[in-house]
Every structure is written in structure tokens, then in C-alpha cells.
């Protein structure tokens, strides 16, 4: 068992208990296993929620393999696109929910421009465009 204690800014102590069936495992190793576990769960959460990882109805292994790869590739492509545009000094934070919202906002804006016959250059060069496109996103 491992107990991790953290003192918050208001002075309150926050504890986390980590358990292992192996009583001889060193605490550092238990912590490393928990970190790896949560990292792998995080990797599969976004594809399940946003790229259809769990929506395949195929039964043949090659088709399932293709579907799983396509779902994970979609996540990686989204992550790559946002990371290549990241120019801030802050560390890169990826949110698939924010990426989805950003792409929806772009699509909606271009639909308005086309349907209302607006001047595309005037809108796309406006200084407030980034704040309009990022409306409703979670991560900056």
C-alpha cells in the first residue's frame, strides 16, 4: 500500500491510497504502475468518446483491426494538428472535446460565410477570429 499526501493551498491535506496485491512491491513501483494504468486509460477514453472506437459492429478480425486503427489514427492526427499549431510558451494540453468544438465552429463559420455571401477575406483576417473559433473549447 502507498499513501500519497498533498497539502492544498488552503492548508487542507488531500490523501490518496494506492493498493497492490503484491505486499513486497516497493512503493515507487506501485506508484509507477498506477501512473501507467491511468495513462493507458486516458489513451482509450478519447477514441471511445469522440472517434467511434466502440461503435464498430464488424465481427471479422481484419475489419475490427482496421476500425480500431482508424479510430486511434483519427485521434493522433487531431493531436498532431493541434500540436503543430501550438506556439505558446506554456506546455501543450490536448483536449479532443475542444478539438471537436473548434472544428465544428470552423465549419459553422464557413457555412455562414457561404450561405450569407459574406466577404471571406474580411472575416478570416479579423483580429477576433481566434476567440470566435475557440468559443466553447475547454483547453486554450
Amino acid at each position: 500500500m502507498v499513501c500519497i499526501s498533498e497539502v492544498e493551498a488552503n492548508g487542507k491535506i488531500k490523501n490518496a491510497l494506492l493498493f497492490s496485491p503484491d505486499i513486497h512491491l516497493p512503493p515507487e513501483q506501485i506508484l509507477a504502475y498506477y501512473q501507467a494504468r491511468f495513462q493507458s486509460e486516458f489513451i482509450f477514453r478519447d477514441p471511445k468518446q469522440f472517434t467511434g472506437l466502440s461503435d464498430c459492429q464488424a465481427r471479422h478480425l481484419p475489419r475490427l483491426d482496421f476500425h480500431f486503427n482508424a479510430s486511434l489514427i483519427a485521434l493522433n492526427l487531431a493531436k498532431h494538428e493541434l500540436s503543430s499549431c501550438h506556439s505558446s510558451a506554456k506546455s501543450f494540453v490536448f483536449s479532443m472535446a475542444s478539438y471537436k468544438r473548434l472544428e465544428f465552429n470552423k465549419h459553422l463559420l464557413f457555412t455562414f460565410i457561404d450561405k450569407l455571401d459574406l466577404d471571406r477575406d474580411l472575416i478570416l483576417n479579423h483580429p477576433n477570429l481566434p476567440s470566435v473559433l475557440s468559443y466553447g473549447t475547454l483547453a486554450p
Side-chain angles (χ1 to χ4, degrees), residues 95 97-102 105 130-139:
S95 166
S98 292
Y99 179 78
K100 182 180 173 184
R101 173 66 63 150
L102 181 66
N105 289 349
S131 65
V132 170
L133 292 178
S134 64
Y135 178 78
T137 58
L138 303 173

Side-chain angles (χ1 to χ4, degrees), residues 100-113:
K100 182 180 173 184
R101 173 66 63 150
L102 181 66
E103 290 302 314
F104 174 78
N105 289 349
K106 284 182 190 177
H107 176 72
L108 185 62
L109 178 65
F110 288 131
T111 301
F112 286 158
I113 290 171

Side-chain angles (χ1 to χ4, degrees), residues 109 119-133:
L109 178 65
D119 184 3
R120 179 181 288 259
D121 292 332
L122 181 66
I123 293 173
L124 296 180
N125 291 320
H126 196 280
N128 292 334
L129 180 66
S131 65
V132 170
L133 292 178

Side-chain angles (χ1 to χ4, degrees), residues 6-73:
E6 179 182 347
V7 179
E8 295 179 345
N10 60 4
K12 186 177 178 182
I13 297 175
K14 189 167 127 181
N15 294 315
L17 296 175
L18 310 178
F19 296 94
S20 171
D22 184 356
I23 61 172
H24 302 293
L25 205 58
E28 296 82 13
Q29 193 66 42
I30 295 173
L31 181 61
Y33 285 156
Y34 266 83
Q35 289 172 338
R37 176 181 163 227
F38 286 114
Q39 194 69 298
S40 64
E41 286 183 11
F42 186 72
I43 289 171
F44 287 100
R45 185 199 67 190
D46 281 345
K48 285 175 71 178
Q49 289 181 352
F50 299 107
T51 63
L53 181 67
S54 57
D55 295 337
C56 184
Q57 296 181 5
R59 299 196 189 283
H60 298 291
L61 190 59
R63 292 177 182 168
L64 286 169
D65 189 43
F66 177 82
H67 178 80
F68 297 150
N69 282 323
S71 180
L72 292 169
I73 285 171

